[in-house]
Amino acid sequence: MTTAPDKASERGADRSAVFAPLYRQIKQLLMASLEQGEWKPGELIPSEMELATRFQVSQGTVRKAVDELAAENLLMRRQGKGTFVATHHEPRAQYRFLRLQPDEGGGAPVQSRFLECRRQRATADVAALLELKAGDPVVFVRRLMYFDDVPTVLDDIWLPGAAFKGLTADRLAQYHGPLYGLFETEFGTRMIRAEERIRAVAADGVATELLQVDNGAPLLLVERVSYSYGDRPVEIRRGLYVTRQHHYHNTLT
Amino acid sequence: MTTAPDKASERGADRSAVFAPLYRQIKQLLMASLEQGEWKPGELIPSEMELATRFQVSQGTVRKAVDELAAENLLMRRQGKGTFVATHHEPRAQYRFLRLQPDEGGGAPVQSRFLECRRQRATADVAALLELKAGDPVVFVRRLMYFDDVPTVLDDIWLPGAAFKGLTADRLAQYHGPLYGLFETEFGTRMIRAEERIRAVAADGVATELLQVDNGAPLLLVERVSYSYGDRPVEIRRGLYVTRQHHYHNTLT
DNA sequence: AAGTGGTCTAGACCACTTT
DNA sequence: AAGTGGTCTAGACCACTTC
């Protein structure tokens, strides 16, 4: 077996210019294709050999790029079948981002009820988080989630108006399953990561009625910003969780 | 270049018996060495080539095993120097498990004050979580943490008595830095993973005094079980967090 | 049988650190 | 210069899926 020193040194030059190893460049190219929709959520992407030919690198280099994307939940590998674009419709991906769990028992599936869906102008803080200007159009959604028929989560959601033009109360009412699945299928916006800030607050106002708790009762406040490819913010969520029979679960590693 | 079919088929046979790929077997062997203290936290482990010779596999197979252990924060790779056993004394590992952050600004380093340290008999629930029997000896520690001189976190901690015989109030008082560093250095118990359950509760009793909040004020309750090698539970923690100027931060992926 | 990802090997060269 | 981990290649064979 021989190496190809000419090729290698050419690439060495390229790499010092771009300042990243080859497999990370390949990874960026794959992410660009995902972002531009060359392969849609749930679809099969080309085989490792095909990608190696396309990018003129070895299969091992493609493999390392795909490995990282699979580790980040952007791709899903299935032995014997191929590599697929991750989707929020995948059974095991459902409610991957909802960390509230019943204290004991599996519990019945969650039920959603949409209370509001209307267009607004962004306030300064919402605009800042969504990287818009204050006054830009946003869609506001309020929804209540039931665990075992007990109202447990009250979510207020803000979405960039431009990307979610067709979102209506009717469309939400007839949809079942995770919202991120709807966003991905109907609006071409795939959520891939989120940051949450969690605090304890006292219940008041409309929350006490909707969640059926006393005024001043402790609630978990979960503020979430969700991001799509390229760290583009695509959703803001402000959730109030009742944690009498449930808890927010987290693993530290 | 040639392969070694004899060797390969031998190993194929071995593998079907053990039912795991070679690199995972190597990974298990490395974990066993870590657990048994062949290499201690902060120490350099043998080079990839040496390990490959020891285990009679190729460097690439060792590499894949070490890659996974590095991804799980059990090992730390440093190019040009070698691979080290992870330690809680590492500057960038300090307070890796404390997810409470100031809402704005970096904030001053955290101060700890130890209020209690005494031996008890385990209650049923503590015993269950620590995989002991009710009545077995445990060490109980209560500590208050200050952010910017404001009392913010009240932790109650239970440790298995057998493994923490020498832990005293004096020893705690003179120690500075993360508790997990002390556990690792003085008691040979390295914490590698934790599970947390988070809820909102109303302040009452001694917590209101120590954290200087009103009776009924909302607090974050963080219940943590920490594990060492082999999923062995080594610590229980019940923390009350004041989230007026701080929040619990989490990233969802 | 053919195609896919998964594992394993061997060898080359690069980047970084220490001697 | 020598040793370490980091990258890249090429090729073999295995496990799984589909035709």
Side-chain angles (χ1 to χ4, degrees):
Chain A
M1 174 188 150
T2 62
T3 52
D6 299 346
K7 225 169 135 194
S9 39
E10 276 175 35
R11 256 207 235 88
D14 290 348
R15 241 177 290 148
S16 61
V18 183
F19 229 78
L22 241 192
Y23 74 89
R24 284 206 189 273
Q25 298 179 39
I26 304 300
K27 185 183 170 188
Q28 290 307 315
L29 292 172
L30 291 174
M31 286 218 288
S33 288
L34 288 171
E35 182 167 3
Q36 288 155 29
E38 177 173 349
W39 317 299
K40 306 219 175 303
E43 282 182 9
L44 185 66
I45 76 169
S47 73
E48 293 179 353
M49 280 307 296
E50 286 179 85
L51 291 171
T53 302
R54 185 211 279 204
F55 298 126
Q56 289 292 289
V57 299
S58 77
Q59 188 190 3
T61 300
V62 169
R63 167 169 293 275
K64 191 149 186 187
V66 172
D67 276 344
E68 289 203 352
L69 291 170
E72 294 169 20
N73 296 309
L74 296 190
L75 295 177
M76 267 200 51
R77 322 190 70 145
R78 282 194 242 165
Q79 190 177 23
K81 300 187 74 171
T83 301
F84 299 78
V85 181
T87 166
H88 289 286
H89 295 290
E90 201 72 25
R92 39 165 306 233
Q94 306 241 0
Y95 300 108
R96 178 157 58 97
F97 295 91
L98 179 59
R99 305 294 279 262
L100 199 69
Q101 299 184 351
D103 289 343
E104 45 204 43
V110 178
Q111 298 272 351
S112 281
R113 210 179 104 215
F114 293 97
L115 308 179
E116 284 187 52
C117 176
R118 59 169 202 269
R119 321 213 117 236
Q120 292 181 338
R121 305 223 156 256
T123 57
D125 52 337
V126 164
L129 290 171
L130 286 178
E131 292 177 9
L132 302 173
K133 296 194 184 102
D136 281 355
V138 292
V139 179
F140 170 77
V141 175
R142 172 168 285 175
R143 127 184 115 168
L144 195 51
M145 294 179 83
Y146 296 78
F147 285 63
D148 262 320
D149 293 322
V150 178
T152 307
V153 172
L154 174 61
D155 272 328
D156 282 354
I157 301 171
W158 290 267
L159 302 160
F164 289 85
K165 283 203 188 304
L167 186 61
T168 63
D170 280 355
R171 187 69 196 82
L172 287 172
Q174 73 186 72
Y175 179 78
H176 300 287
L179 271 187
Y180 295 126
L182 180 71
F183 295 173
E184 154 187 315
T185 304
E186 302 281 320
F187 303 96
T189 296
R190 180 165 162 80
M191 186 275 233
I192 58 174
R193 189 176 65 82
E195 303 275 343
E196 291 191 332
R197 294 181 166 206
I198 305 169
R199 2 168 84 77
V201 299
D204 71 347
V206 69
T208 62
E209 296 164 31
L210 293 172
L211 292 171
Q212 298 172 16
V213 297
D214 293 335
N215 204 287
L219 295 175
L220 216 57
L221 170 62
V222 180
E223 295 175 304
R224 177 190 296 179
V225 184
S226 301
Y227 299 89
S228 186
Y229 300 106
D231 284 328
R232 195 159 37 88
V234 295
E235 183 208 46
I236 294 175
R237 214 175 260 209
R238 187 178 176 284
L240 290 171
Y241 297 10
V242 178
T243 55
R244 280 186 304 224
Q245 312 286 342
H246 299 80
H247 60 270
Y248 183 105
H249 184 269
N250 198 23
T251 298
L252 309 179
T253 56
Chain B
M1 175 185 145
T2 62
T3 52
D6 299 345
K7 223 170 134 194
S9 37
E10 277 175 35
R11 258 208 233 88
D14 289 348
R15 240 176 291 148
S16 61
V18 184
F19 230 78
L22 242 192
Y23 74 90
R24 283 205 190 272
Q25 298 180 40
I26 305 300
K27 184 183 170 188
Q28 291 306 316
L29 292 172
L30 292 173
M31 287 217 286
S33 288
L34 289 171
E35 182 167 3
Q36 289 155 28
E38 177 173 348
W39 317 299
K40 305 218 175 307
E43 281 182 11
L44 186 65
I45 76 169
S47 72
E48 293 180 352
M49 281 307 295
E50 287 178 86
L51 292 172
T53 302
R54 186 211 277 206
F55 298 126
Q56 289 291 288
V57 299
S58 77
Q59 188 191 3
T61 300
V62 170
R63 167 169 291 277
K64 190 148 186 186
V66 172
D67 276 345
E68 289 202 353
L69 291 170
E72 294 169 20
N73 295 309
L74 297 190
L75 295 177
M76 266 201 51
R77 320 190 73 146
R78 281 194 241 165
Q79 189 175 23
K81 300 187 74 171
T83 301
F84 298 79
V85 182
T87 167
H88 289 286
H89 295 290
E90 200 72 24
R92 39 165 306 226
Q94 306 241 0
Y95 300 108
R96 179 157 56 98
F97 295 91
L98 178 59
R99 306 292 281 262
L100 199 69
Q101 299 184 351
D103 289 344
E104 46 205 42
V110 178
Q111 299 272 348
S112 281
R113 210 179 103 213
F114 292 97
L115 307 178
E116 284 187 51
C117 176
R118 58 170 202 268
R119 319 210 119 237
Q120 292 181 340
R121 303 222 159 257
T123 57
D125 53 335
V126 165
L129 290 171
L130 286 178
E131 291 177 10
L132 303 174
K133 296 192 183 102
D136 280 356
V138 293
V139 179
F140 170 77
V141 175
R142 173 168 284 174
R143 120 181 123 166
L144 197 50
M145 295 180 82
Y146 296 77
F147 284 64
D148 262 320
D149 293 322
V150 179
T152 306
V153 173
L154 174 62
D155 272 327
D156 283 355
I157 302 171
W158 290 268
L159 302 161
F164 289 87
K165 284 204 187 304
L167 187 61
T168 64
D170 279 357
R171 187 70 196 81
L172 286 171
Q174 73 186 70
Y175 178 79
H176 299 287
L179 272 187
Y180 294 126
L182 179 71
F183 296 171
E184 154 185 314
T185 304
E186 303 279 321
F187 303 95
T189 296
R190 180 164 162 80
M191 185 276 231
I192 59 175
R193 189 176 65 82
E195 303 275 344
E196 291 192 332
R197 292 181 168 206
I198 305 169
R199 358 166 88 73
V201 299
D204 70 347
V206 70
T208 61
E209 297 163 29
L210 293 172
L211 293 171
Q212 298 171 16
V213 296
D214 293 335
N215 204 288
L219 294 175
L220 216 57
L221 169 61
V222 181
E223 296 176 303
R224 177 190 297 180
V225 183
S226 301
Y227 299 89
S228 186
Y229 300 106
D231 284 329
R232 192 159 38 87
V234 294
E235 183 208 45
I236 294 174
R237 214 174 259 208
R238 189 178 175 284
L240 289 171
Y241 297 9
V242 179
T243 55
R244 279 185 305 225
Q245 312 287 340
H246 300 80
H247 60 270
Y248 183 105
H249 184 268
N250 198 23
T251 298
L252 310 178
T253 56

